Amino acid sequence: GNHADYNGGAINNWHTLTVNSSTFENNSAGKGGAIWNFGTSTFSNSTFSGNTANDGGSIMTSGTLIVNNSTFANNQATNYGGAIYNGGTLNVNGSAFEVNTATKWGGAIYSAQDLTVSNCTFIGNNAANGGAIYKYKGNLTVNSSTFTYNTASYGGAIYNTGNLNISGSNFTNNNANSSSGGAIWNQGPLTVNGSTFANNLAHEDGG
């Protein structure tokens, strides 16, 4: 894999970037193990695996990022966002996040700004807080997605302090293994429509 001491082990983008049917594997950087995006980037039908960084194991974005039909597996952040750290606008469609980890927050995705997730699967991701997604502020919209076997101390699947809207999604077998919110730990406006919660577990409150 490729390595950068600072940002973007493989690509550091400040303009417009379009990537199709590509693989980013075993890249590393201080921030954005494979990709640092400060412009507008679109990734489609691509795979990110085994990438590592302090923040954003695979991707760190402060611009606009669109991800379509891609897979993130076994990526790791020592701080925030095992697969993706979002500080801009992020839309993820039809993608899979499997066994990504963050030592602190957001096993798959850490988002400090607006995030929309549609038709995605989050399986076996892990963090201290927000096993799959940690939402710090802004809007989080989750449509027709599945969260299963994600683990964290707080918020086995999602830890939310922003505005959270969930529709047509399934939360099963997620685990807040030492504290609260087996599926969701929520500290902001939350709306749930047509969704299923089954077999989620919390050590303390809100299984």
Side-chain angles (χ1 to χ4, degrees):
N2 304 287
H3 173 75
D5 288 340
Y6 296 104
N7 303 324
I11 298 174
N12 189 316
N13 176 59
W14 288 74
H15 198 263
T16 302
L17 173 66
T18 302
V19 177
N20 298 307
S21 303
S22 298
T23 299
F24 297 85
E25 186 174 7
N26 298 329
N27 301 286
S28 61
K31 295 182 178 181
I35 308 293
W36 166 272
N37 175 57
F38 205 76
T40 299
S41 294
T42 303
F43 294 88
S44 301
N45 304 302
S46 294
T47 299
F48 296 80
S49 64
N51 301 292
T52 58
N54 293 328
D55 297 301
S58 284
I59 301 174
M60 185 164 185
T61 178
S62 295
T64 298
L65 177 63
I66 300 169
V67 177
N68 300 315
N69 304 312
S70 295
T71 299
F72 295 80
N74 299 298
N75 302 287
Q76 184 173 5
T78 53
N79 291 324
Y80 310 121
I84 300 174
Y85 182 112
N86 174 48
T89 299
L90 173 59
N91 288 280
V92 185
N93 309 294
S95 297
F97 294 82
E98 301 175 358
V99 199
N100 302 285
T101 61
T103 304
K104 294 182 179 178
W105 301 345
I109 300 173
Y110 173 90
S111 182
Q113 297 294 336
D114 289 348
L115 167 62
T116 301
V117 173
S118 301
N119 299 298
C120 291
T121 58
F122 294 82
I123 302 172
N125 303 285
N126 177 264
N129 293 333
I133 297 174
Y134 187 105
K135 188 70 186 73
Y136 173 56
K137 58 183 178 180
N139 300 307
L140 171 57
T141 303
V142 177
N143 300 315
S144 304
S145 294
T146 297
F147 296 78
T148 188
Y149 294 109
N150 302 288
T151 59
S153 295
Y154 289 85
I158 296 175
Y159 185 112
N160 173 61
T161 63
N163 301 310
L164 175 56
N165 290 279
I166 298 171
S167 64
S169 296
N170 296 309
F171 294 79
T172 60
N173 298 297
N174 300 288
N175 185 2
N177 53 19
S178 64
S179 194
S180 304
I184 298 172
W185 194 93
N186 180 63
Q187 198 178 15
L190 169 61
T191 303
V192 180
N193 293 304
S195 297
T196 300
F197 294 80
N199 301 317
N200 300 289
L201 177 65
H203 180 72
E204 293 181 355
D205 304 317

